[in-house]
Structures are given as structure tokens and as C-alpha cells.
Amino acid sequence: MKYIVGLGNPGEKYSFTRHNIGFLVVDHIAEIVAKDKNFELSVDIGKKSVLKRFFNVILPGDKKYNGWQRNKNLLLYQASEDLCLVKPMTYMNLSGEIFKHLDIVEPEEVLVVVDEIYLPLGRMRFRNRGSAGGHNGLKSIECALGTDKYSRLRVGVGSSKKTKDSEAEVIFGSDGLIGFVLGRFEDAEAEFLEQVVQKAAKGVLDWYSEGILYVQQKYNGIDLRF
């Protein structure tokens, strides 16, 4: 089973904040899966079904199926027999707690989608391992998995200004770092944000089908600002 984990904070207060871009990406993937008839939605409702294991729910393929289902501190969307989308409902600092409630998880089968303040909006970076880089959500996941050998997609949420120095320095403003990441995207960024989310979602689905080396080569050099 592969798990795509989008990080964010639950609640309307945090909707569309920079820290929640992981939620935005996996939500968009769920929309793609629901609309794309070519995507495998058939699910074995036996032991392999994560939803069957955790919930007494109607599964994909039934007209009443509405996608996301909640169990304790996470939301699950089973896209196919071997792919689940996950949104932790624990708040960012405790994101790793979700793995207590999932089937046996192999770290190499996990991709985490997370915000990156030191990349501008329009850039993204896939990695197959690495340090948490000060991100509390990644710290929690590394602690839960006992390793840093899991894939992650860092989606830039920093300044999207088209300057050569925009990746070298991030100006957080009067509210500081915390205020910046918990702040909502500016109105002027809304249309561009949609492009970023769509491209990131496409990259994540390519990871699912093609693997980490493929997406590193294809997406790490993309800059949607230019």
C-alpha cells in the first residue's frame, strides 16, 4: 500500500494558509481520482482495503461513496487498491501519530507533501530522504517511522516575486516566521496558487506510477514563475 500524506492543520481557521498547502494538494488529487474514469477506482473489499479495515462505510464504486472518511485522528481517501490519501487531523506538530492507525507502513511507500518556506511559490522539490529541516510535521513523521528514508515533496510557499534573489532570502514581515506560514495566501497569489497545486498533484501521481527518481528529474527543476 502506498500512502500520500498531505500535511496541514485542521479547521476553517487554517484553510488556505501557507502551512496547509499539503492539504490543498491531496484534496486536488482526490478530485482528479474522482473525475478520471481511467484511474483505477475498483477496490478489493477484503483484507487489502484500508477503508474496510477501519470503517463500516460504502467503498469506491458505489454511488453513495463520498470520498474522505474519518477515523480517530486522520482522514483517509482510498483512491485504489494500493493507494491511500491521508490528511492528519492532529495539528502539524503531531502529524506522525497517524501511523499508529494505518496498516504496516514501509517508509519507502510513503510520500509526504509539505510546505517549504525557503522555496518560492512556483518551485517544488522531491526527495527520497533527508532531514526535517526544522519542519515540525516532518520531525514528527521521522520519529514515528524511525527513519528519514521516506519520500517527500516540498512545495514552495515563499515569495513568488520573479527575482534572482527570491530563493536566497525570505522576508516574513512584521508577523515573523509563524505568522507567515499560518497566514493565508494573498489574493494576488490565488490564480498562481491553483497552477502550483495542479502541478504538484500531477507530480505526486507520477511518483505513484513512476517512482521517486523519475519525479526528481522531471519536477525539481521546474519554476512556474517564469
Side-chain angles (χ1 to χ4, degrees):
M1 179 69 69
K2 289 187 177 181
Y3 294 98
I4 296 170
V5 182
L7 298 192
N9 289 309
E12 183 63 27
K13 176 182 178 181
Y14 299 103
S15 296
F16 301 106
T17 60
R18 296 176 191 275
H19 222 21
N20 272 38
I21 200 164
F23 277 10
L24 297 180
V25 172
V26 294
D27 280 339
H28 187 62
I29 294 172
E31 293 176 4
I32 292 173
V33 170
K35 294 176 181 178
D36 187 354
K37 295 181 180 179
N38 293 321
F39 199 95
E40 182 196 352
L41 286 176
S42 59
V43 175
D44 176 1
I45 60 174
K47 294 181 180 179
K48 292 184 178 180
S49 172
V50 173
L51 289 183
K52 184 70 173 180
R53 180 172 181 266
F54 287 115
F55 313 105
N56 181 19
V57 299
I58 298 165
L59 293 171
D62 191 294
K63 293 181 180 179
K64 295 182 180 180
Y65 177 70
N66 63 357
W68 292 100
Q69 301 291 337
R70 181 157 188 163
N71 178 60
K72 296 183 179 178
N73 60 1
L74 70 157
L75 289 175
L76 279 175
Y77 187 107
Q78 184 151 0
S80 70
E81 183 177 326
D82 66 345
L83 176 63
C84 265
L85 310 179
V86 185
K87 292 194 293 185
M89 295 287 107
T90 57
Y91 291 98
M92 187 69 76
N93 293 4
L94 300 175
S95 297
E97 290 191 0
I98 61 170
F99 293 106
K100 297 177 183 178
H101 307 294
L102 297 175
D103 286 324
I104 296 174
V105 177
E106 298 295 339
E108 61 270 19
E109 299 298 306
V110 174
L111 172 68
V112 178
V113 185
V114 63
D115 59 294
E116 175 52 71
I117 58 173
Y118 295 109
L119 284 177
L121 188 65
R123 291 291 311 278
M124 61 193 71
R125 187 170 295 158
F126 281 94
R127 289 285 185 267
N128 63 351
R129 64 174 301 174
S131 72
H135 195 288
N136 289 330
L138 294 182
K139 287 180 182 178
S140 179
I141 288 175
E142 182 176 333
C143 182
L145 293 177
T147 181
D148 66 354
K149 295 180 181 179
Y150 61 90
S151 297
R152 73 285 311 271
L153 169 59
R154 293 181 179 270
V155 182
V157 297
S159 171
S160 60
K161 294 181 180 180
K162 298 180 180 180
T163 65
K164 293 181 179 179
D165 296 330
S166 60
E167 290 181 73
E169 181 181 6
V170 176
I171 300 174
F172 300 125
S174 59
D175 293 331
L177 171 60
I178 295 177
F180 181 78
V181 297
L182 294 181
R184 291 175 178 264
F185 288 97
E186 298 174 4
D187 291 343
E189 294 175 308
E191 183 176 348
F192 187 48
L193 174 63
E194 184 176 357
Q195 297 178 44
V196 171
V197 170
Q198 290 174 349
K199 181 64 72 171
K202 179 62 168 60
V204 170
L205 289 174
D206 281 348
W207 168 85
Y208 165 64
S209 60
E210 305 294 338
I212 187 65
L213 294 180
Y214 175 85
V215 292
Q216 283 180 312
Q217 294 175 358
K218 183 175 180 179
Y219 290 93
N220 286 3
I222 289 177
D223 192 334
L224 296 176
R225 298 172 299 166
F226 297 96

